[in-house]
Amino acid sequence: MEKLLTYDSVEISYSGEPVVRNVSFSLAPGEILGIVGESGSGKSTLIRGALGLLGPGGLVTRGDIWFSGKNLPDLPEKEMRRIRGAQIGMIFQDAKASLCPVRTIGSQIRESLSAHQRISRKESDERALELLDKLGFRDGKRILESYPFELSGGMNQRVGIAMACLPNPPVLLADEPTSALDVTVQKQAVEEMLLMRRLYGTAMILVTHNIGVVRAMADSVLVLKDGNMVEYGSASQVLDHPRETYTRELLAAVPVLRRK
């Protein structure tokens, strides 16, 4: 099957010190890959490397990240700006922090869409309202007219998911998209991302600590420890029949509620 995104022996370093080493995997159209591991294992670094969002001192120092026949680390910034958002979307852990507090949600959606295409305010609002309706928002017009501080944390996170999905990118990278949400809103966020796959065939890489979310969403799973690949395979194989000791320990650490 054709692959949308391929990591080939990728090493990522900060100030010359490797933090991710020799990681290889691929993402097919419509596939959801879950990346799991303890804090500091390199999960977020791995997906941020694809978009050149590593911050000061961060660099892909070995290997290739292929997307649409292009090696992303080799591309100039001007070309990366055309890819970010329109072709590879990003859902951040704290969507509210990535939103401008003094501009309405509608204006920020229009700016995001107009960065990649010519679009009027009317058309932008219509597309946004249509998607918000599909995602189960009861009052999309009020959302577009609201400022981020007027919405709850869970609502801002769901808006962040909608904004990332609106350009209909073939690939979505989701960095802990449900970690700050209560259980009810987590369920809504998971359903929204799964809906995007059903509607548009969107492929996703999901970085999370939440094994329950991985079980609900992922087709395949990559386990990281200290920047190294521990296990990679289908979700059923990795989660139900793990081969590696670390994977078994990671799964055993998930709390289980029992009733007397």
Side-chain angles (χ1 to χ4, degrees), residues 214-227:
V214 172
R215 284 191 181 278
M217 293 186 65
D219 304 300
S220 52
V221 176
L222 169 65
V223 182
L224 281 183
K225 184 178 189 299
D226 299 328

Side-chain angles (χ1 to χ4, degrees), residues 98-115:
S98 64
L99 294 170
C100 177
V102 296
R103 297 178 57 203
T104 65
I105 298 297
S107 70
Q108 294 184 67
I109 288 176
R110 286 191 293 276
E111 179 183 50
S112 175
L113 289 175
S114 63

Side-chain angles (χ1 to χ4, degrees), residues 44-250:
S44 297
T45 296
L46 198 56
I47 61 170
R48 286 172 176 267
L51 291 179
L53 299 176
L54 293 169
L59 195 65
V60 177
T61 43
R62 289 185 183 174
D64 305 307
I65 304 175
W66 294 99
F67 175 73
S68 295
K70 300 173 182 177
N71 188 18
L72 297 178
D74 290 343
L75 297 182
E77 177 59 23
K78 184 176 180 180
E79 190 164 357
M80 281 303 303
R81 283 199 297 269
R82 290 196 289 267
I83 290 173
R84 291 189 197 109
Q87 297 180 58
I88 303 178
M90 184 82 176
I91 302 171
F92 294 95
Q93 180 175 358
D94 182 1
K96 186 174 181 179
S98 64
L99 294 170
C100 177
V102 296
R103 297 178 57 203
T104 65
I105 298 297
S107 70
Q108 294 184 67
I109 288 176
R110 286 191 293 276
E111 179 183 50
S112 175
L113 289 175
S114 63
H116 301 287
Q117 58 187 286
R118 294 180 64 88
I119 188 168
S120 67
R121 173 172 179 160
K122 182 175 182 291
E123 185 182 356
S124 171
D125 287 354
E126 286 175 350
R127 285 180 55 182
L129 288 170
E130 181 183 5
L131 181 60
L132 291 174
D133 181 64
K134 287 178 179 176
L135 295 180
F137 286 83
R138 295 178 181 175
D139 190 356
K141 190 171 186 298
R142 182 185 68 82
I143 299 297
L144 296 185
E145 294 172 351
S146 296
Y147 294 90
F149 64 82
E150 295 179 308
L151 304 177
S152 68
M155 188 64 79
N156 273 299
Q157 191 67 16
R158 293 179 64 206
V159 165
I161 292 171
M163 287 180 67
C165 295
L166 200 54
N168 193 15
V171 176
L172 266 180
L173 308 179
D175 189 3
E176 297 280 5
T178 65
S179 64
L181 306 178
D182 63 43
V183 174
T184 303
V185 184
Q186 279 188 19
K187 182 174 182 292
Q188 291 173 323
V190 167
E191 288 173 348
E192 287 166 8
M193 289 186 283
L194 289 174
L195 178 62
M196 295 310 298
R197 174 165 72 169
R198 288 197 300 273
L199 290 175
Y200 306 115
T202 309
M204 303 181 199
I205 298 179
L206 173 69
V207 164
T208 183
H209 288 90
N210 192 323
I211 300 298
V213 170
V214 172
R215 284 191 181 278
M217 293 186 65
D219 304 300
S220 52
V221 176
L222 169 65
V223 182
L224 281 183
K225 184 178 189 299
D226 299 328
N228 298 296
M229 291 180 67
V230 173
E231 193 158 355
Y232 173 48
S234 70
S236 59
Q237 180 264 303
V238 175
L239 298 178
D240 297 329
H241 307 286
R243 300 189 183 102
E244 302 298 327
T245 301
Y246 176 74
T247 308
R248 292 193 290 271
E249 292 173 346
L250 192 68

